[in-house]
Amino acid sequence: MSDENRFAPPISGHRPIRRRGLLQTLQRSGPRRLTTVVASAGYGKTSLGQQWYEALSARGIACLWVALDQEHADQQQFLATLLEALEQVLPEDSRGLDAGSLPVASMLSILSTRLKRITRPLVLFLDDYHLAQNDATETLMAKLLADRSLDHLKLVLISRSPPRFPLSQLRLHGELKQITVADLGFSSDEAQEFFAERSLGLTPAQVEELNRRTEGWAVALQMVRLLVSEQPQADAVLASFDGSNAEMGNYLSEQVFQQLPDDIQHFLLQTAALPAFSRELVTAIIDQPDVGAVMERLGQHALPITHLAGQGGFMRSHPVFNTFLKQMAARRGYDTLSPLRRAARWYERQGDCDQAVRHALSAGSADLAARIVETAGGWRRVYATTRGGTMLFQTISAHACEIDLERFPLTTLGLSVVSAKAGQLESANHYLAIAERAVGSLPAYAADLRVVKVLLSLYFDHFASAADLAALEDDLMRQEGLELIHRALALNMLSYNFLIRSDLERARHYGQLAIRTFRDGGADFGAMHLYTHVGQAAFFGGDVAEAENAYDRLIEEAQANIGAGSDLDAVGQVLKAELISMRGELAPAAERLAWALPHVERHDTWFDLLAAGFMAQQRVLRLSGDHVGAHGSIDRVRAAAKRRGFERLIRLVDGERCILFLCSGDVEQAVRAAESSGYGRVFIQSERLNALPVHLRGTTPALLWTRLYLALGQPGKAREALDWLLTHQQQKPHFLRSVELTLVSIRLLFAEGRVDEARSMLCDLATTTPLADYPASLSIEGAPFMETLRGLAADPAFPVVARQRLERCMLADAGPDLLVKGMASEIAIPGAALTDRERGVLDLLSAGLSNKEIGRRLDLSDNTIKFHLRNIFTKLNVSTRTAAVTTAREKGVLRR
């Protein structure tokens, strides 16, 4: 290299990229006593140094650039070059001494003396420092940095390997700045700028994907840029570009791989197939005495290898470099599969089933992967840990054709469970049949088959038999033989099956036991599922506080352990929406359902969850007066039910279509819909179709025809249908169903002219049930019926306490189409019709805030604010914002 080129930053032949973010960081901190820019070839180290050199020079800071090569590994050559470079900034009278023939100690003394004559800060860039790096030059650098009289000298080392002299003192005093591979990767914006020319024809999305695949490696991006500029088919270039690409492979071979010592090359090729490696792993799987020492030396060569944060000393090669290494290993005949199989067994010994399976499959050993899962518990892994093992079995499923599944029945049962959770019911049956054949009558697997069959009945929407449940309870009585997760899932299934039979106390009991057992087994994922059963048991049992707590716990844990928007998060949101819609909070319920209900329609779910979401959405739409939207919801959910084979959901949806016609006033259409959809008159006395304990939600033929006959003006037939329904129940219906039956009975008594009996029944309902927690159960019956209830309660003989409790329920937030009137005028507290949320909105409205400003204050969406304003206008009988504020002030409703 000529002296002229040695003492000036190189002029890049490529389109330069301004590393604005990194440069700004360097500019803010200023030159330190030592700055190291260390990375392997192609990361733009020299380019960054050049840009920083130019930026500092532009600010009037003295800078020197020295490009080093192999000759500078000699101490004398190294010092002579530094002295020669220094003459550019020395005063005239300090130049001219030929020190090249002096001893090293004398040359170092002269260099120190000359540096001290420079009174202003000086930044010395040493490019390609690794070429000169050895013990001798490292010693010289250490001495320069240790000399406190040279604090004005700032050194920038640009190198492929880090300095090996001590850095602790510099780091302690804040005089060390280290730029590494992690800092040098191109940001998304920098990559977009680099490919900004229209002639290249790359879309922003393509550039984003390329930058992600190359992890911002400058040389890889530059290589693609050149290839795209030479070939018109950008898609083809991007699709084929990786470490096996000929141009990239040649570069990596010449600039990175061939520069390494033989033992480092050998190590990299031995471990090329591993996704990541650590000293402990490679020591265990590679039969080579010095492999640990070789690994420790990797850091001396600044290879494109990244340390994985928080993973116990693991590291991995850059994806492009890793592909190159795999290609090189294959060409040189290395066995890359044996290390993967050994790594799989090593991970298995560490208890990391996921990584063990991943390595086994990468080695082409699907049977090994299945054996690892089998040994780890098979199907129980679906519910293990905080995130569950669904992805593990999905990975195994992709290789199922390579596995002798009958050798691994527990793993095959896991494939069946995961298939059912994904709605792939035919696959679930297929795997279950294989597992049954494999175990035959072996008693060791009988309990596993039982619990999985009951679990699958949930996804197939079949009721488990009483014998199946009794067998599960017998299994639980055994003190030994059941692992914790197996025991917990058996408890889970008992909880669910007692829930869908309205045996709510047993459902809650087994649910709480299952949660504790899952927790004891370290399976938070399994425990989260139980909140759905415990919450619903409380909800239908009349305990809103416990139900809400269960749903909130489910949502909180799902978001923390799995992520917002996950399947379990959506499940929790749907169930919470059902609860708050029954409480009359229609807008918040609608917001939750907007994304969560479509999610559960498409993903891991079962009948009850879809039924909960559907009924909540119907309640919101009907109370909001949006009957068109309610019909649309019916169409969509019915399609989802048909797609998933949920016949019970199809039937529930058809029944709600009849109810929707009825509440819209189209009685004849409701009758036609009932007769054509399995709800006809002939089914009024069907014990199976009218068993209320197993119909947690929706209507039944006898209940529907009681309502239809009343609407048709035929109370006699309505009485016959209702009496039959009530007298043919094997057990008491759950709380919410009891409320509905009571309200229908009051309606019928009133139609029969038995007003005193209707009033007495209403009094009992108001005084003996927590009706205030479920006000929508009243308002969903419609405004005319609400007037009937008000009339009954207005009688002087009606107890005051009962009237007050009823008033509180009827004045809850029941929707904009239901006018609050009648008894409202008797309320002693003005504005009691407004909910706390509406009062908060009204307060901010009176302060002159816009809808958006109110939404920001209350953390609510614009649509929710509009919804609350409509309710406020309706309850205050006004039509404008100003009138609402004025009226509220007159009635003393406003807080301010």
Side-chain angles (χ1 to χ4, degrees):
M1 181 182 297
S2 69
D3 291 346
E4 181 181 354
N5 291 334
R6 175 170 293 148
F7 300 133
I11 300 174
S12 174
H14 306 310
R15 182 170 184 255
I17 285 295
R18 302 299 299 177
R19 307 305 303 277
R20 291 186 177 87
L22 197 47
L23 279 173
Q24 286 173 358
T25 300
L26 292 171
Q27 294 283 60
R28 280 196 301 269
S29 62
R32 304 284 180 90
R33 190 76 169 88
L34 175 64
T35 300
T36 63
V37 184
V38 178
S40 60
Y43 270 97
K45 303 183 298 297
T46 298
S47 175
L48 174 66
Q50 172 192 357
Q51 293 174 44
W52 195 22
Y53 176 97
E54 292 172 352
L56 291 172
S57 298
R59 291 168 51 193
I61 298 175
C63 297
L64 290 178
W65 184 280
V66 178
L68 301 171
D69 53 34
Q70 288 88 346
E71 70 178 27
H72 296 108
D74 178 79
Q75 282 183 306
Q76 286 185 313
Q77 287 289 345
F78 182 77
L79 289 169
T81 299
L82 294 186
L83 285 167
E84 185 179 355
L86 197 58
E87 292 203 358
Q88 300 176 65
V89 294
L90 283 173
E92 289 286 345
D93 58 356
S94 300
R95 304 178 188 176
L97 175 64
D98 181 9
S101 60
L102 295 176
V104 169
S106 299
M107 294 177 72
L108 180 59
S109 177
I110 292 170
L111 178 62
S112 297
T113 300
R114 291 185 177 181
L115 286 170
K116 291 172 185 176
R117 290 177 184 173
I118 300 173
T119 58
R120 57 175 178 156
L122 172 65
V123 184
L124 176 59
F125 289 79
L126 298 182
D127 191 21
D128 286 335
Y129 174 74
H130 59 279
L131 297 176
Q133 190 176 26
N134 56 30
D135 290 343
T137 52
E138 296 274 75
T139 300
L140 293 175
M141 295 301 297
K143 288 180 178 178
L144 288 173
L145 288 166
D147 189 344
R148 301 310 301 178
S149 66
L150 299 179
D151 282 355
H152 62 290
L153 174 65
K154 313 297 182 183
L155 290 170
V156 179
L157 303 187
I158 301 171
S159 177
R160 293 187 185 180
S161 58
R164 294 188 289 274
F165 51 79
L167 301 174
S168 56
Q169 284 298 315
L170 291 170
R171 184 178 289 110
L172 181 64
H173 292 93
E175 284 296 321
L176 174 66
K177 176 68 176 178
Q178 294 173 296
I179 305 297
T180 65
V181 167
D183 304 301
L184 290 166
F186 273 43
S187 69
S188 179
D189 289 342
E190 287 170 338
Q192 295 292 347
E193 180 185 349
F194 189 57
F195 288 96
E197 291 182 12
R198 292 184 180 179
S199 60
L200 295 176
L202 296 182
T203 66
Q206 287 175 320
V207 173
E208 183 76 23
E209 171 62 15
L210 175 63
N211 198 52
R212 185 193 64 78
R213 282 169 46 198
T214 63
E215 297 182 353
W217 197 359
V219 70
L221 297 177
Q222 178 64 30
M223 191 73 70
V224 172
R225 191 172 184 278
L226 291 173
L227 292 173
V228 170
S229 66
E230 295 170 359
Q231 301 180 32
Q233 300 298 324
D235 286 339
V237 172
L238 296 177
S240 64
F241 184 82
D242 55 24
S244 63
N245 177 275
E247 291 82 357
M248 193 68 207
N250 289 337
Y251 178 88
L252 291 172
S253 178
E254 295 171 5
Q255 297 296 321
V256 180
F257 190 73
Q258 298 299 339
Q259 308 295 325
L260 299 172
D262 290 344
D263 58 346
I264 297 291
Q265 291 186 18
H266 179 59
F267 173 83
L268 292 174
L269 296 180
Q270 281 181 301
T271 58
L274 298 175
F277 54 89
S278 68
R279 177 169 181 169
E280 186 178 2
L281 172 60
V282 297
T283 301
I285 69 172
I286 295 178
D287 188 15
Q288 182 177 323
D290 61 343
V291 68
V294 172
M295 185 174 173
E296 284 187 356
R297 289 170 44 222
L298 290 177
Q300 299 176 10
H301 301 279
L303 292 165
I305 294 176
T306 304
H307 284 269
L308 302 178
Q311 296 196 25
F314 272 82
M315 56 184 72
R316 65 166 177 83
S317 298
H318 186 286
V320 175
F321 186 51
N322 184 244
T323 302
F324 162 78
L325 291 175
K326 289 177 181 177
Q327 294 282 331
M328 181 67 74
R331 285 198 297 271
R332 294 192 179 182
Y334 277 76
D335 177 8
T336 57
L337 299 183
S338 292
L340 284 167
R341 286 191 289 270
R342 294 191 197 107
R345 296 186 181 97
W346 182 83
Y347 277 111
E348 183 183 17
R349 291 194 296 273
Q350 307 307 308
D352 192 338
C353 185
D354 290 334
Q355 286 292 349
V357 167
R358 179 184 178 189
H359 284 73
L361 293 177
S362 296
S365 299
D367 271 6
L368 174 59
R371 198 273 303 156
I372 290 169
V373 175
E374 189 84 2
T375 305
W379 62 268
R380 303 179 192 102
R381 299 293 305 180
V382 176
Y383 295 91
T385 72
T386 57
R387 297 178 62 86
T390 299
M391 292 297 296
L392 174 69
F393 282 93
Q394 287 174 345
T395 303
I396 291 281
S397 177
H399 297 267
C401 61
E402 307 165 30
I403 302 172
D404 182 1
L405 292 173
E406 292 194 10
R407 292 174 52 201
F408 311 108
L410 298 181
T411 299
T412 306
L413 285 175
L415 293 174
S416 180
V417 171
V418 169
S419 296
K421 287 169 71 68
Q424 300 165 359
L425 303 185
E426 290 183 3
S427 295
N429 266 331
H430 167 71
Y431 290 126
L432 179 62
I434 293 174
E436 287 184 298
R437 285 199 308 271
V439 303
S441 59
L442 293 175
Y445 294 96
D448 293 277
L449 277 174
R450 268 195 295 274
V451 73
V452 170
K453 281 184 175 180
V454 174
L455 173 62
L456 292 182
S457 71
L458 180 153
Y459 290 99
F460 282 94
D461 195 28
H462 295 157
F463 274 70
S465 68
D468 290 333
L469 299 184
L472 284 184
E473 290 187 300
D474 288 343
D475 288 340
L476 290 170
M477 294 297 293
R478 291 164 28 203
Q479 297 300 313
E480 298 179 356
L482 287 187
E483 294 183 4
L484 281 174
I485 295 178
H486 187 161
R487 183 177 296 276
L489 193 62
L491 291 166
N492 181 345
M493 290 300 94
L494 288 171
S495 175
Y496 172 73
N497 278 278
F498 286 122
L499 169 67
I500 62 176
R501 290 164 170 79
S502 291
D503 193 343
L504 303 182
E505 285 306 313
R506 293 176 78 182
R508 291 163 83 172
H509 169 70
Y510 280 119
Q512 296 291 358
L513 284 178
I515 289 175
R516 288 196 292 272
T517 309
F518 270 126
R519 299 284 192 212
D520 290 344
D524 289 339
F525 181 77
M528 285 185 275
H529 286 74
L530 268 300
Y531 290 125
T532 67
H533 308 336
V534 171
Q536 288 181 91
F539 175 69
F540 289 115
D543 190 342
V544 166
E546 183 181 346
E548 188 162 26
N549 178 63
Y551 298 155
D552 287 343
R553 288 286 300 276
L554 171 58
I555 293 168
E556 178 184 345
E557 292 187 23
Q559 291 181 351
N561 296 334
I562 306 174
S566 61
D567 289 355
L568 278 175
D569 183 19
V571 166
Q573 300 290 352
V574 162
L575 291 172
K576 181 71 177 285
E578 180 179 42
L579 185 151
I580 63 177
S581 70
M582 186 61 79
R583 204 157 56 197
E585 299 172 15
L586 305 186
E591 282 193 280
R592 292 172 187 268
L593 292 170
W595 74 269
L597 181 53
H599 184 104
V600 298
E601 289 171 8
R602 297 189 301 269
H603 297 89
D604 179 11
T605 191
W606 52 95
F607 163 79
D608 302 84
L609 304 179
L610 286 171
F614 168 70
M615 293 300 291
Q617 193 166 66
Q618 286 295 299
R619 189 174 300 115
V620 168
L621 293 169
R622 282 172 56 187
L623 290 177
S624 300
D626 186 359
H627 290 178
V628 173
H631 278 289
S633 169
I634 287 173
D635 294 338
R636 193 193 69 251
V637 175
R638 195 181 197 280
K642 188 173 182 180
R643 185 170 64 250
R644 298 184 75 104
F646 286 171
E647 293 298 328
R648 268 203 305 161
L649 184 58
I650 293 173
R651 181 170 181 79
L652 180 144
V653 167
D654 289 344
E656 288 308 299
R657 177 94 75 181
C658 300
I659 294 292
L660 185 56
F661 282 129
L662 184 60
C663 74
S664 302
D666 195 343
V667 181
E668 291 184 4
Q669 183 60 43
V671 170
R672 286 195 294 271
E675 295 290 2
S676 64
S677 62
Y679 282 86
R681 293 175 178 86
V682 296
F683 299 112
I684 290 177
Q685 295 189 1
S686 166
E687 292 197 12
R688 181 180 66 85
L689 296 179
N690 288 286
L692 294 177
V694 296
H695 290 88
L696 293 179
R697 301 172 176 88
T699 192
T700 70
L703 186 54
L704 174 62
W705 277 98
T706 300
R707 293 179 179 279
L708 288 173
Y709 282 136
L710 279 170
L712 291 168
Q714 302 175 29
K717 291 185 176 181
R719 170 59 63 189
E720 182 180 347
L722 183 60
D723 285 350
W724 184 93
L725 178 66
L726 295 177
T727 56
H728 283 76
Q729 300 306 312
Q730 297 299 314
Q731 68 186 71
K732 183 180 178 181
H734 62 69
F735 167 75
L736 280 177
R737 184 68 79 187
S738 297
V739 170
E740 181 186 13
L741 291 171
T742 300
L743 292 172
V744 170
S745 295
I746 292 171
R747 187 191 295 266
L748 178 55
L749 287 169
F750 191 84
E752 292 171 331
R754 299 158 65 182
V755 177
D756 288 342
E757 292 176 65
R759 184 179 294 112
S760 177
M761 187 172 286
L762 177 60
C763 178
D764 290 342
L765 179 66
T767 54
T768 62
T769 62
L771 204 57
D773 290 332
Y774 302 86
S777 61
L778 291 175
S779 54
I780 199 70
E781 294 291 333
F785 185 57
M786 294 299 97
E787 290 302 314
T788 299
L789 297 183
R790 290 186 180 98
L792 291 172
D795 187 276
F798 200 84
V800 174
V801 171
R803 182 185 301 115
Q804 290 175 340
R805 287 172 62 89
L806 190 61
E807 287 170 354
R808 185 179 297 276
C809 300
M810 298 177 74
L811 294 173
D813 185 7
D817 61 322
L818 300 176
L819 299 180
V820 179
K821 53 186 178 180
M823 290 188 300
S825 60
E826 302 175 17
I827 297 175
I829 304 173
L834 299 180
T835 65
D836 287 341
R837 177 64 77 191
E838 288 168 354
R839 288 170 177 267
V841 171
L842 191 56
D843 282 345
L844 296 174
L845 186 66
S846 68
L849 274 63
S850 67
N851 287 6
K852 287 186 179 296
E853 291 169 330
I854 295 173
R856 281 196 293 271
R857 292 281 187 91
L858 300 178
D859 194 23
L860 298 173
S861 69
D862 286 352
N863 287 336
T864 302
I865 297 302
K866 291 177 183 177
F867 180 87
H868 285 309
L869 286 175
R870 286 199 303 270
N871 283 354
I872 291 169
F873 292 170
T874 298
K875 292 176 179 181
L876 295 179
N877 195 24
V878 297
S879 57
T880 67
R881 297 160 67 92
T882 302
V885 172
T886 302
T887 302
R889 282 178 177 153
E890 291 174 351
K891 293 185 175 183
V893 174
L894 277 175
R895 295 169 179 167
R896 63 180 76 200

